[in-house]
Amino acid sequence: MVTLMRSLTLTHKTVYSFSFFFPFSSLRTNFHFYPPFLHTAISMDSHGFSSSLDSVTEHLHNHNLQTDTDPVPRLKLEDLNWDHSFVRALPADPRTDSLPREVLHACYTKVSPSVEVDDPQLVAWSEPVADLLDLDHKEFERPDFPLIFSGASPPVGALPYAQCYGGHQFGMWAGQLGDGRAITLGEILNSKSERWELQLKGAGKTPYSRFADGLAVLRSSIREFLCSEAMHHLGIPTTRALCLVNTGKLVTRDMFYDGNAKEEAGAIVCRVAQSFLRFGSYQIHASRGNEDLGIVRGLADYAIRHHFPHIENMNKSESLSFSTGDEDHSVVDLTSNKYAAWAVEVAERTASLIARWQGVGFTHGVLNTDNMSILGLTIDYGPFGFLDAFDPHFTPNTTDLPGRRYCFANQPDMGLWNLVQFTKTLSAAQLINEKEANYALERYGTKFMDDYQAIMTKKLGLPKYNKQLISKLLSNMAVDKVDYTNFFRTLSNVKADTSIPDDELLVPLKSVLLDMGKERKEAWTSWLKGYIHEVSTSDISDDERKSSMNSVNPKYILRNYLCQTAIDAAEIGDFGEVRRLLKLMEHPFEEQAGMEKYARLPPAWAYRPGVCMLSCSS
């Protein structure tokens, strides 16, 4: 049994000691969170989703979906509707140079891209992201497009800046961090009045670069570009990527921090998100004492106004009052404090995001507070990895190896730990009180468990959540190192027929249950009998269940070795594999003719350092 104990101090009076429940039989812990809220039974309807879901986020979101039948205009780059609300609303650094320094009393520094280029090339581009911006796809064919999105000649209307933020890295406060190699060009308002920020990653030095050069290399840029888009098409909230440009210049990097630096091809990704604000965007100002606490409030007001307008517009009639679960049965009224309502929604979005990661087997690798989006987006793709052979302790980050703080099984813990730091920041700025902070953290736990249980129920095609069955499954998968993605996809082939002889039960799973002795075969046969009994109680057909399971269990994921294959080709000038992977990942749940090889188990070379595990060097 593995117990992951943490002690989290939210205020001077409240201490949380907990071990996060994660449903493995032999790797299971109990979640003891005070005040205790997860002891409440969670009922599941016939589709496996919680019928008692009382998500505050869902209460706050009361949007009327409109169908727009008017054709969307297709714009040239020069016609994009730029806006600069962040720059207008928040305090700026009075200096505009890129000299590394501490930037005080400011949310950003106006700084232009300084990257050098030599005949830059467009490596890959995303037409679905262009659609978000109303950008005409023909613009990708412009001869000057690579020059514009390398940062050498920023688009007309842009107002570049680098954001100031701080963060906890591996549990330790790191002080000022900021956009050390990312420069935001500004915000685009599209025809739906949606706000999208465009940011160039690898565009040169900023005041936040410290001792680095502000550049990025092709290998890490390919990984970020592809995974941003792959995650979106898996249905997981994420920043997006418009394009990837090869700068034509070399960048020196020490991939493993072992003194063996080498020159690599430089590159730039144009990242797109509704906001790049992180937990650390608020932390840095709260860390600097009373003088900057007003900036925390200003940043909160900005975020609510532009990205959580439903909170700004709520009123007393909505009656958003909730019991905290404390011994005194106190009540938190979210209509009386918009900052509390906001903190709760940030917590719920974070919980939902991490539940989706766990469902698809994604490990972020660097869950520092500066890598936590206030919008609940997957942000900052460094040494990420999808599970191949199932290992709850898997971490794709070589820097994380000693303690495996950010391993797959720890991600729910780390989401909560990071939220504690965020709520401490809001408390320091007197935006929320202790009970409101506690309630936000309660909602994280409840929302995570609701979403995770619903996801796992649907992945298995169960009529209702079955904790014991799922726990035993994950335990078996961990013992036998079963491929996470291929197993769930193959499981849909099992028939709900309780009359199948024991010696034939494993036949549908023979491609994923490999090299097992008699004892392990018996363990899997026992589990499968219980599984078949459970699904046989449903009134849906085998074909319907298979279709439903395949809609949530991807056939294709962005395995690290697939990324590496594309990187190896791109580094000798062949960008075809990058583009093929992009198209493949746009339809991860579909059977794609001729693409079966991309769903195969990783080859032996995929487990070498630099492929299955990476450092933060880029």
Side-chain angles (χ1 to χ4, degrees):
M1 178 177 290
V2 178
T3 303
L4 308 173
M5 295 300 298
R6 311 252 192 270
S7 292
L8 311 181
T9 303
L10 174 60
T11 69
H12 294 297
K13 297 179 181 180
T14 307
V15 176
Y16 292 87
S17 296
F18 67 94
S19 52
F20 205 100
F21 167 84
F22 200 61
F24 303 113
S25 175
S26 61
L27 296 163
R28 211 182 115 224
T29 62
N30 295 317
F31 191 130
H32 296 304
F33 192 104
Y34 302 96
F37 58 91
L38 287 185
H39 303 292
T40 304
I42 300 175
S43 61
M44 310 299 289
D45 65 19
S46 60
H47 299 288
F49 292 97
S50 172
S51 58
S52 61
L53 250 177
D54 60 341
S55 169
V56 176
T57 300
E58 292 177 14
H59 280 298
L60 293 171
H61 279 286
N62 189 20
H63 295 163
N64 294 318
L65 298 178
Q66 297 178 346
T67 303
D68 187 357
T69 57
D70 294 333
V72 176
R74 296 298 180 183
L75 305 177
K76 294 184 177 180
L77 287 172
E78 290 80 7
D79 298 325
L80 292 175
N81 183 17
W82 289 92
D83 190 38
H84 302 289
S85 66
F86 191 86
V87 169
R88 288 196 307 271
L90 297 161
D93 179 2
R95 291 170 56 175
T96 58
D97 61 275
S98 60
L99 186 69
R101 53 193 157 81
E102 188 174 29
V103 175
L104 300 174
H105 320 310
C107 293
Y108 63 91
T109 302
K110 291 181 180 179
V111 58
S112 297
S114 60
V115 59
E116 294 183 1
V117 302
D118 183 7
D119 189 23
Q121 295 175 279
L122 183 59
V123 175
W125 58 95
S126 171
E127 292 181 351
V129 176
D131 292 340
L132 295 177
L133 309 175
D134 302 332
L135 184 65
D136 194 323
H137 297 177
K138 292 181 180 179
E139 291 296 277
F140 291 118
E141 302 171 9
R142 290 173 53 152
D144 61 344
F145 191 93
L147 199 65
I148 292 170
F149 284 94
S150 68
S153 179
V156 175
L159 190 59
Y161 69 87
Q163 189 190 147
C164 178
Y165 52 82
H168 282 83
Q169 298 193 322
F170 293 91
M172 303 295 291
W173 176 244
Q176 178 180 291
L177 299 168
D179 287 333
R181 56 183 166 166
I183 295 177
T184 297
L185 298 175
E187 306 146 34
I188 300 294
L189 290 176
N190 68 12
S191 56
K192 298 178 182 178
S193 298
E194 295 171 337
R195 185 176 301 275
W196 295 98
E197 291 185 17
L198 272 61
Q199 185 182 87
L200 301 183
K201 185 173 181 179
K205 285 187 176 182
T206 77
Y208 313 102
S209 299
R210 293 173 286 178
F211 301 106
D213 56 17
L215 306 177
V217 297
L218 184 60
R219 60 177 164 83
S220 63
S221 301
I222 287 174
R223 286 170 54 81
E224 172 139 11
F225 176 83
L226 287 176
C227 202
S228 298
E229 291 305 284
M231 291 287 273
H232 169 74
H233 293 291
L234 284 168
I236 298 173
T238 178
T239 57
R240 305 291 301 276
L242 174 66
C243 61
L244 168 61
V245 173
N246 187 348
T247 64
K249 289 287 190 177
L250 297 177
V251 176
T252 302
R253 283 292 181 271
D254 184 351
M255 181 188 292
F256 296 110
Y257 303 119
D258 59 2
N260 294 310
K262 69 173 186 177
E263 290 188 327
E264 301 184 48
I268 291 176
V269 175
C270 180
R271 306 199 294 186
V272 178
Q274 291 189 303
S275 175
F276 286 96
L277 282 169
R278 308 117 186 284
F279 291 6
S281 303
Y282 298 82
Q283 286 182 282
I284 186 62
H285 303 296
S287 74
R288 289 171 169 170
N290 293 334
E291 190 174 1
D292 281 0
L293 290 180
I295 298 179
V296 178
R297 181 181 293 270
L299 266 175
D301 287 337
Y302 172 83
I304 293 169
R305 182 181 312 115
H306 291 287
H307 303 294
F308 300 80
H310 49 283
I311 292 177
E312 190 87 81
N313 298 330
M314 69 182 178
N315 56 62
K316 291 285 185 181
S317 65
E318 296 185 56
S319 300
L320 293 178
S321 298
F322 301 94
S323 173
T324 64
D326 288 332
E327 292 181 3
D328 61 0
H329 303 293
S330 56
V331 171
V332 169
D333 179 11
L334 300 183
T335 56
S336 65
N337 183 1
K338 68 177 181 179
Y339 303 113
W342 176 57
V344 167
E345 183 163 347
V346 171
E348 288 198 345
R349 288 192 185 198
T350 303
S352 184
L353 173 69
I354 296 179
R356 295 187 194 194
W357 288 353
Q358 303 305 107
V360 80
F362 175 81
T363 308
H364 184 280
V366 200
L367 281 183
N368 297 327
T369 57
D370 57 298
N371 291 338
M372 298 294 293
S373 160
I374 64 162
L375 297 183
L377 307 175
T378 313
I379 191 170
D380 286 347
Y381 292 90
F384 66 82
F386 288 87
L387 292 172
D388 293 322
F390 183 61
D391 176 6
H393 297 295
F394 168 70
T395 178
N397 187 350
T398 56
T399 310
D400 191 36
L401 273 179
R404 296 183 185 266
R405 175 183 177 87
Y406 296 139
C407 73
F408 175 73
N410 279 8
Q411 290 186 134
D413 279 10
M414 292 299 97
L416 182 57
W417 195 95
N418 291 333
L419 275 165
V420 169
Q421 313 315 313
F422 181 63
T423 56
K424 284 172 67 175
T425 294
L426 302 186
S427 297
Q430 298 184 343
L431 301 184
I432 60 176
N433 61 35
E434 181 178 340
K435 288 188 182 297
E436 291 164 340
N438 288 349
Y439 184 68
L441 300 176
E442 287 185 19
R443 288 307 312 168
Y444 173 86
T446 304
K447 180 65 171 169
F448 175 82
M449 292 305 297
D450 282 347
D451 282 15
Y452 180 74
Q453 291 182 0
I455 287 167
M456 295 305 292
T457 299
K458 193 165 186 181
K459 282 179 74 68
L460 272 72
L462 297 173
K464 61 182 183 300
Y465 179 68
N466 186 319
K467 175 182 173 181
Q468 183 178 2
L469 190 71
I470 293 173
S471 295
K472 186 59 179 175
L473 168 63
L474 295 175
S475 178
N476 281 342
M477 291 179 71
V479 169
D480 294 308
K481 306 300 182 188
V482 177
D483 186 86
Y484 190 82
T485 299
N486 288 356
F487 175 84
F488 283 106
R489 186 75 178 191
T490 305
L491 185 63
S492 67
N493 295 326
V494 171
K495 305 299 183 184
D497 182 357
T498 56
S499 68
I500 298 174
D502 286 5
D503 59 355
E504 296 179 15
L505 283 174
L506 299 184
V507 172
L509 301 178
K510 64 181 180 180
S511 64
V512 290
L513 300 182
L514 308 172
D515 302 323
M516 291 189 302
K518 180 180 178 182
E519 182 180 346
R520 294 308 304 153
K521 285 183 179 179
E522 289 176 351
W524 277 102
T525 298
S526 174
W527 180 84
L528 202 55
K529 288 172 71 174
Y531 173 71
I532 290 173
H533 172 76
E534 192 74 5
V535 295
S536 69
T537 64
S538 171
D539 58 359
I540 69 170
S541 68
D542 287 332
D543 287 343
E544 287 174 314
R545 188 180 69 259
K546 179 181 177 67
S547 178
S548 175
M549 291 173 67
N550 286 351
S551 72
V552 295
N553 292 316
K555 171 84 171 183
Y556 305 101
I557 56 166
L558 191 66
R559 299 177 188 265
N560 272 336
Y561 88 91
L562 295 178
C563 270
Q564 190 60 47
T565 301
I567 289 166
D568 291 342
E571 287 181 336
I572 58 174
D574 179 2
F575 305 138
E577 189 65 12
V578 175
R579 296 167 187 172
R580 275 189 292 275
L581 275 180
L582 177 64
K583 291 301 180 185
L584 179 75
M585 296 303 159
E586 287 180 354
H587 304 283
F589 302 102
E590 298 177 14
E591 299 286 344
Q592 299 184 44
M595 295 296 176
E596 189 66 32
K597 68 177 183 179
Y598 291 98
R600 292 174 185 165
L601 294 177
W605 63 264
Y607 295 98
R608 71 172 188 250
V611 180
C612 66
M613 295 185 70
L614 300 101
S615 73
C616 296
S617 171
S618 60

